Amino acid sequence: MLQLISENKSFGGWHKKFSHHSNKTNCTMQFAIFLPPQASENRKVPVLYWLSGLTCTDENFMQKAGAQKMAAQLGIAIVAPDTSPRGEQVANDDAYDLGQGAGFYLNATQAPWKEHYQMYDYIVHELPALIEQNFPVNQKRAISGHSMGGHGALTIALKNPQNYVSVSAFSPICNPVNCPWGEKAFSAYLGEDKSSWLQYDSCELLHGATAILPMRIEQGTQDNFLSDQLKPESLLNIAKNKPFDVQLNMQEGYDHSYYFIASFIDEHLAFHAQYLN
């Protein structure tokens, strides 16, 4: 059952925050939803799912990205889930890049993480079913995200092209099996058998793909994580040898922050609107 936490009118629509018990993560989860003014029982609107990065909650995107105005104009709902399971009973780590706030949008197989860290199933299966059952939205979905959430958006779209019409990402972790963030998280959540990691790596998934969704990636040239953690060139090199249109925009002078996201979020919403509407 959904529990309303807060609601605020915004650009003629409504930003609402809810909690609910998740059967997939076995704990209470929170998400935010922006319903544009067009949304009604007589007109169900499409949904963009936004996945946030390390340390974030649903609030970072909804409060900092400035997406509501364009979403209201385009008639697109936005759903922003939390980035991990949370609670006293949920396994955690003192570091910012493991545990609560760092779910990496995968299904953990290793103790103590596997009891709650089933974020892949939560995002792909449970949350959309919940949204479509309780709100005036249709089954047209797009997916986007930032950093760890960009990794989540790309991998989920590549693994489930039938579920979404388009995918985009800001500063995504493109090759997590070959970067410090990914190696640390995957070792903990999935174990030391690196073959099990490949199912959550965008480069590996793109390499084996026979078809992909329309894909747009935004990356700042002054992002201090660019060379060590994000590695968009690895993804682009694979795309060059495939008959796919992977649009990578290198934006001069921009960093890893929400200032960067706010600068280009309208363009990403317009990109998704081509396919959602």
Side-chain angles (χ1 to χ4, degrees), residues 76-241:
I76 296 172
I78 301 174
V79 172
D82 203 348
T83 53
S84 78
R86 295 184 193 267
E88 291 183 4
Q89 79 281 18
V90 176
N92 199 11
D93 190 271
D94 290 337
Y96 76 95
D97 53 359
L98 186 67
Q100 296 186 32
F104 272 84
Y105 306 102
L106 50 73
N107 287 339
T109 59
Q110 304 299 303
W113 311 103
K114 64 181 180 180
E115 181 179 355
H116 299 287
Y117 284 75
Q118 304 297 310
M119 287 297 293
Y120 176 85
D121 279 351
Y122 176 72
I123 298 296
V124 174
H125 301 296
E126 186 175 20
L127 184 60
L130 187 73
I131 297 298
E132 289 162 15
Q133 181 180 355
N134 289 280
F135 300 98
V137 302
N138 59 40
Q139 293 184 323
K140 282 193 173 182
R141 310 168 189 159
I143 192 165
S144 186
H146 172 233
S147 194
M148 177 187 72
H151 142 76
L154 293 178
T155 55
I156 285 171
L158 286 165
K159 288 165 71 72
N160 303 277
Q162 72 283 0
N163 289 6
Y164 307 93
V165 299
S166 53
V167 58
S168 73
F170 289 80
S171 316
I173 306 171
C174 293
N175 194 198
V177 301
N178 289 314
C179 79
W181 277 339
E183 290 170 357
K184 178 178 181 178
F186 287 9
S187 294
Y189 297 143
L190 303 173
E192 296 302 325
D193 179 5
K194 294 188 177 182
S195 65
S196 69
W197 300 6
L198 301 179
Q199 63 182 308
Y200 299 112
D201 185 275
S202 296
C203 288
E204 183 68 21
L205 291 168
L206 184 63
H207 181 74
T210 56
I212 66 166
L213 302 171
M215 180 183 296
R216 174 172 177 159
I217 298 172
E218 225 70 33
Q219 176 61 61
T221 62
Q222 297 304 307
D223 190 321
N224 57 323
F225 301 115
L226 178 56
S227 59
D228 293 340
Q229 302 281 16
L230 306 180
K231 302 182 185 294
E233 71 283 351
S234 298
L235 196 70
L236 193 61
N237 288 338
I238 295 170
K240 287 177 180 177
N241 297 316

Side-chain angles (χ1 to χ4, degrees), residues 48-51 60-62 64-71 74 76 78 143-146 168-170 216 218 251 254 257-273:
L48 173 67
Y49 287 84
W50 173 270
L51 307 182
N60 297 75
F61 179 80
M62 290 300 201
K64 295 180 179 180
Q68 289 89 343
K69 183 176 182 179
M70 180 60 75
L74 296 171
I76 296 172
I78 301 174
I143 192 165
S144 186
H146 172 233
S168 73
F170 289 80
R216 174 172 177 159
E218 225 70 33
Q251 301 292 356
Y254 286 91
S257 70
Y258 265 84
Y259 295 106
F260 172 48
I261 297 170
S263 299
F264 296 98
I265 191 61
D266 284 0
E267 293 182 22
H268 279 242
L269 286 166
F271 165 78
H272 290 293

Side-chain angles (χ1 to χ4, degrees), residues 8-15 34-38 72:
N8 304 91
K9 194 165 186 180
S10 178
F11 295 100
W14 287 91
H15 169 273
F34 173 72
L35 291 167
Q38 298 89 335

